[in-house]
Amino acid sequence: MSYIYLESIGWFSLTLFVLLLIIRCIILITFGKKSALGERKKDILKAFWLGGRFDLKVIAIANALPLLLAIPLYIIDSPSLFNFSAYILVAYYFISLSSIVLLLSIDVAFFTYFNEHINYMIFGFFDDDTKAVIETMRDYNLPLVIGVILALEVGLFFLAKFIGFYHLSSLHYHGWLVSILLIVFIVIDFLLARGTISSLPLGIMHARVSDNEFINKLCMNGIFSFTKAVKLRRQNKKGSYNLSKTYGFHNDPAEALLVMRSKKVTEPVKLTEHLSAYVVPNETATNQPPHVVLIMMESFASHILSFEEDNLDLMASLRKHFEQDIVFKNFTSDGQGTIESFLALTSNLPHRANCSNYPESRLINAEIKSSAAFVYKEKGYETSVVYGGSLTWRNIGTFLKFQGFDHVEGDSHIRKAIPKRTNTYEHSWGLHDEYLFDYLKQKLKQAKKPQFIVALNTSNHPPYNYPETYDLGPSEITSDIEQRLMCSRKLMKQRLEVYQYANSVAGDFMDWLKDSELAEHTIVSMTGDHSFWGMYSYTDSELFQRYCVPCYFYVPKNYLPETIDTSIFGSHKDILPTLYHMSLSDVNYLTIGTNLFNLEASHYAFNSSELIAGPSGVVTLVPQPQYYQWTDDYLVKPSDKTQELQSILEYYKAAMSITDMFIRDCH
């Protein structure tokens, strides 16, 4: 065998290393904030150095097969077999290069949307409505994208052919040099695959070189992140992924309860007892139980509202209600996607990071005893879920039927009840919002019993369109947004218009409600499912704002709490406990969250990105704990670990571990 065979492996390695380096540079240039990173050149160099080690680990694993193939070729020393091996190498290199380029492209696209490398959420593409996803992609120049991909594939084929056939241009010979080179290559490849000579192989836990979140993300590459996501996916499918073990509690609820509730438990722990809370007798709620309407708005983000100007009206008719009623602004979504947040809301449990959604797991037919519908049914309510799209989406129709809801209704139910008024009755993901809100009005007007309704709209979702009958208000892209754009101006303008449309329809619903006889005995809450991803960039100091959504309450005066502090922190886990204490009387419920109007309780915001926020600051857990303190307007700056910030992190770990243990008991 010629030593030039090993040079083919060398060329392949060099090609991958340069490719991975280019992608890291693209992420730095595209998503890095020059003003924030200018003084962190040493940290960036450290990130590229560590990133190079991660890249070499990927390359070493990719080289394992060619090196194994080299051993029999060296021993047998057959020129014909040696020549045939070139075709195997060409096929292997082409498949490897194509797969890696595809994954890296997906990683950059994922980073554009979530400001994260590929993670467990990537599988949502396969679990989502495939037809709607494909229609959503029409917003992008698909012919150009397909053309670039085809041209790239042709280029990769010729590159693989050059690398695979490179060694055939040399004479074949045996000798001690080839033996030594082969052994050296195998040893080096093994060491690079481990990434380190220490006891622990190089892993995500090592990806921290700075107190800057973005710089730490530069260390990783999409291949490494994807393999972790696949591993988590496999573990979730088997039911073997244990979040409480990941967070250090090892299925020990007593230890977690001690951290979370400062409650020492010695006897065998029954979680339903220790997660139980109580609503005291309430004469008003007993005599006249109010209707309760809980609305989750698609992409109803908070931070974008800070860009409103005279020529950009985002709140439309909803603005006056936000000014008149109760709005919590230090509030985050539980999930990063719609399905995660919606299930967190209906189950009254925070979404567990890196875990399967209930309808896409063995829990599809399980009762989640913390579900809000069970609580309201116990007090005589008629309970409903109303979704503006198809109930087949992510299996929610099947799952929600087991969660105590009397009615689980989707677009087909709305079509039968609400006549079509315009040519554009629907969009790719469901009906336009005005039909959903008309259906809610109808349900409330026809109600014979107190109603508990959870609704999810669909309009503010790509591809962005709205009925031609809507009278669009000012929707120009402001100069501040222009400076942050991460998409085309056309796409951004479409999103701003649909954001306005959705808020306008929601505001019209509140106008109708407040002008009706229902106003005195109907409580309404609105929140967003996730933030405004993929359209404009956030600064490093806006770490918290990336995940913020509003939490709005309309509460008639007879049900209003005595004390209100809208500056406290919260997330979706806290909405239902808050509604329980205003609308119900003398009832027990299961919860991880707290009543937002209970000023004596500890209040924290959770997000499944493993971000936790509280009065003392913010902590992120990926890849390793990073601590931030507040500056002005709830912006953040890096901080050393303090006792207060560490307590926030431990509280989060304990709460999520308890949630995980509780869910496992539901199997």
Side-chain angles (χ1 to χ4, degrees):
M1 187 193 80
S2 169
Y3 75 93
I4 306 294
Y5 182 93
L6 299 179
E7 286 197 19
S8 290
I9 296 175
W11 276 109
F12 177 62
S13 302
L14 180 61
T15 301
L16 287 185
F17 188 80
V18 171
L19 179 62
L20 290 163
L21 178 62
I22 290 173
I23 294 297
R24 185 169 286 106
C25 290
I26 289 174
I27 291 176
L28 173 63
I29 295 169
T30 305
F31 306 106
K33 313 296 185 301
K34 294 181 180 179
S35 59
L37 300 180
E39 299 178 357
R40 298 177 180 270
K41 293 178 180 178
K42 289 184 178 179
D43 286 352
I44 293 174
L45 289 174
K46 290 179 182 178
F48 270 74
W49 173 260
L50 182 58
R53 290 173 59 192
F54 277 108
D55 296 347
L56 289 172
K57 180 167 183 164
V58 170
I59 293 168
I61 295 171
N63 277 329
L65 183 62
L67 281 172
L68 288 175
L69 181 62
I71 296 173
L73 288 175
Y74 174 71
I75 295 173
I76 297 174
D77 190 26
S78 168
S80 59
L81 183 61
F82 183 61
N83 292 340
F84 178 71
S85 70
Y87 294 95
I88 298 176
L89 283 181
V90 169
Y92 177 76
Y93 288 152
F94 176 66
I95 293 172
S96 297
L97 287 170
S98 297
S99 301
I100 289 171
V101 168
L102 176 63
L103 282 176
L104 292 177
S105 301
I106 292 173
D107 185 56
V108 172
F110 196 88
F111 209 102
T112 299
Y113 200 72
F114 293 108
N115 292 112
E116 301 278 354
H117 286 289
I118 290 173
N119 60 31
Y120 190 81
M121 289 184 65
I122 191 66
F123 298 105
F125 176 85
F126 304 102
D127 298 327
D128 233 325
D129 185 332
T130 304
K131 180 181 177 182
V133 170
I134 293 172
E135 290 181 357
T136 296
M137 294 173 66
R138 292 177 182 173
D139 285 328
Y140 303 91
N141 191 337
L142 288 184
L144 177 62
V145 172
I146 293 172
V148 170
I149 291 174
L150 290 175
L152 190 60
E153 287 298 303
V154 172
L156 290 176
F157 173 76
F158 282 106
L159 179 60
K161 187 176 179 181
F162 166 76
I163 296 173
F165 287 145
Y166 185 88
H167 63 277
L168 297 184
S169 62
S170 178
L171 297 174
H172 309 290
Y173 65 92
H174 273 295
W176 60 270
L177 179 59
V178 177
S179 303
I180 293 175
L181 283 174
L182 183 57
I183 294 172
V184 169
F185 265 61
I186 292 173
V187 171
I188 291 176
D189 198 70
F190 172 77
L191 292 175
L192 292 178
R194 289 197 85 252
T196 177
I197 58 174
S198 63
S199 58
L200 291 175
L202 184 67
I204 290 179
M205 68 181 70
H206 298 103
R208 185 178 183 184
V209 297
S210 172
D211 58 10
N212 181 278
E213 182 188 26
F214 173 76
I215 292 176
N216 289 329
K217 291 174 183 177
L218 280 178
C219 300
M220 297 302 300
N221 61 55
I223 313 301
F224 204 91
S225 300
F226 179 73
T227 56
K228 182 193 175 185
V230 170
K231 180 180 179 181
L232 287 170
R233 174 80 162 187
R234 190 181 302 117
Q235 290 175 334
N236 273 286
K237 289 292 185 181
K238 293 179 180 178
S240 60
Y241 181 64
N242 189 318
L243 191 64
S244 69
K245 182 179 179 180
T246 301
Y247 287 158
F249 288 97
H250 302 278
N251 292 326
D252 185 354
E255 183 183 354
L257 285 167
L258 180 61
V259 173
M260 179 183 168
R261 297 274 170 89
S262 299
K263 186 175 183 180
K264 189 172 183 180
V265 182
T266 55
E267 70 276 6
V269 176
K270 189 175 181 180
L271 283 176
T272 52
E273 295 178 0
H274 296 286
L275 294 181
S276 180
Y278 179 63
V279 178
V280 300
N282 181 330
E283 184 176 347
T284 304
T286 301
N287 295 335
Q288 189 173 32
H291 298 310
V292 178
V293 182
L294 175 53
I295 303 168
M296 177 164 278
M297 303 275 286
E298 171 67 46
S299 301
F300 188 34
S302 296
H303 185 255
I304 187 66
L305 297 175
S306 65
F307 297 108
E308 277 197 312
E309 294 181 6
D310 291 341
N311 62 345
L312 177 60
D313 180 10
L314 294 174
M315 289 298 286
S317 59
L318 189 58
R319 176 180 290 100
K320 59 179 174 291
H321 301 293
F322 266 51
E323 294 171 349
Q324 296 167 359
D325 302 321
I326 303 166
V327 182
F328 292 88
K329 296 181 179 179
N330 292 329
F331 199 89
T332 63
S333 62
D334 269 8
Q336 298 185 74
T338 304
I339 186 66
E340 292 88 359
S341 292
F342 187 59
L343 294 174
L345 198 65
T346 53
S347 68
N348 192 30
L349 291 172
H351 179 67
R352 299 166 298 154
N354 298 318
C355 290
S356 296
N357 297 307
Y358 309 137
E360 297 156 352
S361 70
R362 292 179 293 172
L363 289 167
I364 187 170
N365 297 326
E367 288 185 351
I368 309 297
K369 292 299 184 182
S370 58
S371 170
F374 291 125
V375 181
Y376 278 101
K377 279 176 69 72
E378 182 183 334
K379 302 304 290 187
Y381 275 71
E382 184 176 8
T383 58
S384 304
V385 167
V386 182
Y387 173 47
S390 170
L391 293 174
T392 60
W393 173 69
R394 308 294 281 265
N395 300 325
I396 62 167
T398 301
F399 172 74
L400 291 171
K401 290 176 182 177
F402 292 90
Q403 309 314 315
F405 290 99
D406 298 312
H407 311 287
V408 180
E409 300 166 322
D411 57 354
S412 60
H413 299 83
I414 299 174
R415 289 175 192 274
K416 292 178 182 178
I418 307 299
K420 179 179 178 180
R421 293 190 297 269
T422 65
N423 293 330
T424 52
Y425 190 57
E426 60 187 353
H427 57 98
S428 301
W429 291 88
L431 301 180
H432 287 303
D433 287 355
E434 57 196 73
Y435 297 101
L436 169 71
F437 281 101
D438 282 352
Y439 190 67
L440 296 182
K441 295 176 188 177
Q442 186 181 100
K443 287 182 73 69
L444 291 172
K445 287 188 292 187
Q446 297 176 354
K448 305 299 183 185
K449 298 170 63 177
Q451 299 290 303
F452 172 64
I453 304 173
V454 182
L456 174 63
N457 73 344
T458 60
S459 283
N460 191 18
H461 193 291
Y464 306 106
N465 55 68
Y466 52 88
E468 70 276 10
T469 54
Y470 174 64
D471 186 13
L472 183 68
S475 57
E476 297 303 316
I477 297 175
T478 66
S479 57
D480 288 340
I481 294 177
E482 183 91 49
Q483 294 172 5
R484 296 171 177 245
L485 276 182
M486 297 172 61
C487 63
S488 69
R489 295 186 85 262
K490 177 183 176 182
L491 190 59
M492 186 66 186
K493 192 170 191 310
Q494 288 175 339
R495 183 154 200 181
L496 295 175
E497 291 173 353
V498 178
Y499 188 93
Q500 180 194 114
Y501 164 75
N503 290 343
S504 177
V505 174
D508 292 346
F509 171 77
M510 292 307 304
D511 288 341
W512 168 85
L513 178 68
K514 290 182 178 181
D515 289 339
S516 75
E517 59 184 15
L518 296 167
E520 297 303 316
H521 57 95
T522 302
I523 296 174
V524 177
S525 179
M526 291 186 192
T527 189
D529 57 350
H530 53 74
S531 192
F532 214 72
W533 298 119
M535 292 290 176
Y536 68 88
S537 60
Y538 296 86
T539 65
D540 293 327
S541 61
E542 292 167 346
L543 174 64
F544 179 59
Q545 284 74 14
R546 294 179 193 175
Y547 306 97
C548 282
V549 295
C551 179
Y552 163 87
F553 291 97
Y554 164 69
V555 187
K557 61 182 180 180
N558 289 339
Y559 303 93
L560 272 172
E562 294 181 0
T563 56
I564 300 173
D565 179 3
T566 57
S567 68
I568 66 172
F569 291 81
S571 52
H572 290 148
K573 62 181 170 45
D574 305 309
I575 293 179
L576 282 161
T578 306
L579 291 172
Y580 293 156
H581 283 272
M582 290 188 291
S583 61
L584 298 176
S585 173
D586 187 26
V587 67
N588 289 291
Y589 63 94
L590 300 173
T591 188
I592 295 291
T594 56
N595 174 8
L596 291 168
F597 298 123
N598 179 2
L599 302 187
E600 297 180 359
S602 298
H603 295 283
Y604 302 109
F606 291 177
N607 182 267
S608 61
S609 65
E610 297 180 291
L611 172 141
I612 316 98
S616 57
V618 176
V619 182
T620 59
L621 195 51
V622 178
Q624 289 292 299
Q626 297 180 73
Y627 304 90
Y628 304 86
Q629 65 185 50
W630 296 116
T631 60
D632 298 331
D633 298 324
Y634 293 102
L635 302 177
V636 300
K637 64 179 181 180
S639 169
D640 294 331
K641 180 171 70 173
T642 65
Q643 183 176 351
E644 292 81 5
L645 290 174
Q646 186 63 24
S647 67
I648 291 178
L649 177 58
E650 293 305 318
Y651 182 95
Y652 171 80
K653 288 181 177 180
M656 298 309 300
S657 296
I658 288 290
T659 302
D660 193 54
M661 292 180 231
F662 178 79
I663 289 298
R664 287 177 175 276
D665 287 345
C666 295
H667 281 178

